[in-house]
Every structure is written in structure tokens, then in C-alpha cells.
Amino acid sequence: MASRVTFIGAGNMASAIIGGMIDNGHPATAITATSPSDAFLAPVHERYGIRTNTDNQAAVRDADIVVLAVKPQVMREVCEGLRDTLQRQRPLIISVAAGLTAESLQAWMGGGLPLVRCMPNTPSLVGAGAAGLYATVEVSDEQRAQATELLEAVGLVEWVAEESLLDAVTAVSGSGPAYFFLMFEAMEEAGVKLGLPAETARRLAIQTALGAARMAQQSELTPDRLKRNVMSPGGTTERAVEHMEQAGLRGIVADAMDACAARAREMAEELGQR
């Protein structure tokens, strides 16, 4: 029998996961999504055929898994409103909200619940996501497997042993898509300066990134070895890569990711239990 999954919130990330689950064979009748507005829920119901509800408590009453997919700013209110029902039902809780620690979430829900924190990213919207997951001690092996299956519906899943490592996940994959979009912008602008039409430079840059990612994903070689395979001695690629290295690209990336992880820690303090 399929797990009964309730999504508290029906925004883009919830919709992406729901779509991936259904594509992977999870029955739509075993999925419920909630929102304060019927008008907001109507498109989700029409697209996927899932159940919808504007009453959070009613929606989680028979759930095996509850996915918390609301904005961090309203999470406390949502969790406190569900506390009694969750304590009675004791489903697996999966939070996809950034910057909210397990300690805060447990405090708002009454504590002791099996809880998985997930840091997904926006490519989940096209089935190519990357998510870091952390489980509290209350989560069973079976529930870990359920969380893995649910998130693998939209991409890669990697578990971390310590909750603090989710800040590093945020720096690598959570915020990472924006780093590559910035690279696309820079390559397009440089291509235009070299005489290419903007759209041609953009398409070439994006397709090149897609090809490089596929090669790295499918190859047993390290990124360093793959890079060197493109760099003929004295050639064009070697000249370009040497210029990036001399300009301090690695240090820029490291500093940017340090700043990202630091901001994730700050958000946890700002949004946490008070």
C-alpha cells in the first residue's frame, strides 16, 4: 500500500515533488496538498488529480508522511497549529524550508517526532534537483528509505550525518544553480564582445554546461582529469584556464561559498524558536 503523503503548502517545490512522485508511480489518490486558498489549490488538483484541503489538521490526520513546504516565516504558526494532531498521528515529517533547525521545528511541533530536514534546489522543478537530507534520531531505517524515494522523484539525494553540514549543502547545491547562471551571463557577455549574437552565445554556453555536466556525471574520471583532457599543451583551453587560475577563481568561489554558509547559519538564528 502506498504511503499517504500530505504536503503542507502547494507552491513550486511541493508541486515539483508531487509531479515527480506521480511520474514514478505513486498514486495521486494517496497525495494531499493544502493551502489557505481553494483558488491556489485548484491548478494543482487539475494538473495532478491529487486531493486538496484548506484545513491542515484534517489533511494530516491520516498521513504517513507530512512534507512541510511553507515559507520559513510562517512555519512556526503552521507547526504549532498542527502540534496536537502530529503528536497523536506521529507521521514522518520532512521539512524543505531553508534556515530552520530540527531543534526549532521539534519545539514548535511538541518534540520527539521523526523529522528529516531537506535542502533541495530549484532544478528540482525540472526533475534535475540535488538535495541534502538530515535525519533526527527518531527516524527509522524504513522512514529514511521513504524520504529518499520521495526526494529522488526530482533528482539526486545525499544524506549528511550532522545537521550543521546542511549549511555546506546550501553553499554547494542549494545556492549553486545561481553560480552557474552567473557563469552563463558572463560567458554570454564575453561572447558578444567577441562578436557573437547574444542568443547564440547564450545557447552555446548553456549547451556546453549541460554537456560538461553529463560527462562529469557519467565518467569515472575526476573533474580535474576531465579538465586536463580538454587542455592541449600550449593550446587555447590551457591559456583560458591558466588565466582563470591566476585571477583567483578558486579563491572567489571558496569565499562566496563561505559567505553563503555563514548566511545560512544567520538565518537559522533569525528564524529559529523564540
Side-chain angles (χ1 to χ4, degrees), residues 118-184:
C118 171
M119 184 64 231
N121 65 7
T122 54
S124 299
L125 303 177
V126 294
L133 275 63
Y134 166 78
T136 62
V137 295
E138 295 86 359
V139 178
S140 67
D141 289 343
E142 180 183 358
Q143 289 171 326
R144 284 175 69 100
Q146 289 175 325
T148 297
E149 181 180 7
L150 190 145
L151 272 303
E152 279 185 341
V154 289
L156 175 75
V157 167
E158 292 286 345
W159 287 89
V160 296
E162 300 174 20
E163 185 176 12
S164 61
L165 291 175
L166 288 179
D167 295 334
V169 171
T170 299
V172 175
S173 57
S175 299
Y179 313 159
F180 291 99
F181 297 147
L182 175 60
M183 189 68 172
F184 296 160

Side-chain angles (χ1 to χ4, degrees), residues 34-236:
T34 75
S35 173
S37 167
D38 276 322
F40 192 78
L41 289 169
V44 182
H45 172 71
E46 291 170 7
R47 181 175 182 181
Y48 299 116
I50 64 169
R51 297 186 298 172
T52 59
N53 204 321
T54 57
D55 184 338
N56 287 347
Q57 292 195 48
V60 305
R61 204 162 284 146
D62 64 348
D64 301 305
I65 302 172
V66 174
V67 182
L68 300 174
V70 298
K71 294 181 184 299
Q73 292 79 3
V74 301
M75 184 67 82
R76 179 172 185 167
E77 179 183 355
V78 167
C79 289
E80 289 179 343
L82 289 172
R83 178 187 297 172
D84 292 344
T85 305
L86 293 176
Q87 286 294 328
R88 284 193 300 271
Q89 183 69 19
R90 306 193 71 77
L92 170 64
I93 310 294
I94 301 175
S95 169
V96 298
L100 292 175
T101 66
E103 181 182 12
S104 292
L105 292 166
Q106 290 280 25
W108 299 336
M109 294 184 294
L113 294 172
L115 170 64
V116 169
R117 279 192 62 200
C118 171
M119 184 64 231
N121 65 7
T122 54
S124 299
L125 303 177
V126 294
L133 275 63
Y134 166 78
T136 62
V137 295
E138 295 86 359
V139 178
S140 67
D141 289 343
E142 180 183 358
Q143 289 171 326
R144 284 175 69 100
Q146 289 175 325
T148 297
E149 181 180 7
L150 190 145
L151 272 303
E152 279 185 341
V154 289
L156 175 75
V157 167
E158 292 286 345
W159 287 89
V160 296
E162 300 174 20
E163 185 176 12
S164 61
L165 291 175
L166 288 179
D167 295 334
V169 171
T170 299
V172 175
S173 57
S175 299
Y179 313 159
F180 291 99
F181 297 147
L182 175 60
M183 189 68 172
F184 296 160
E185 283 186 89
M187 290 178 71
E188 178 184 337
E189 291 168 4
V192 168
K193 288 182 179 178
L194 290 168
L196 289 174
E199 290 208 0
T200 297
R202 183 184 310 154
R203 285 195 295 265
L204 288 171
I206 293 171
Q207 182 64 26
T208 299
L210 177 63
R214 284 183 180 169
M215 284 186 70
Q217 192 174 55
Q218 295 174 14
S219 175
E220 295 182 358
L221 300 177
T222 65
D224 175 67
R225 185 69 260 172
L226 290 170
K227 175 192 69 182
R228 294 185 182 282
N229 287 349
V230 188
M231 296 168 59
S232 301
T236 58

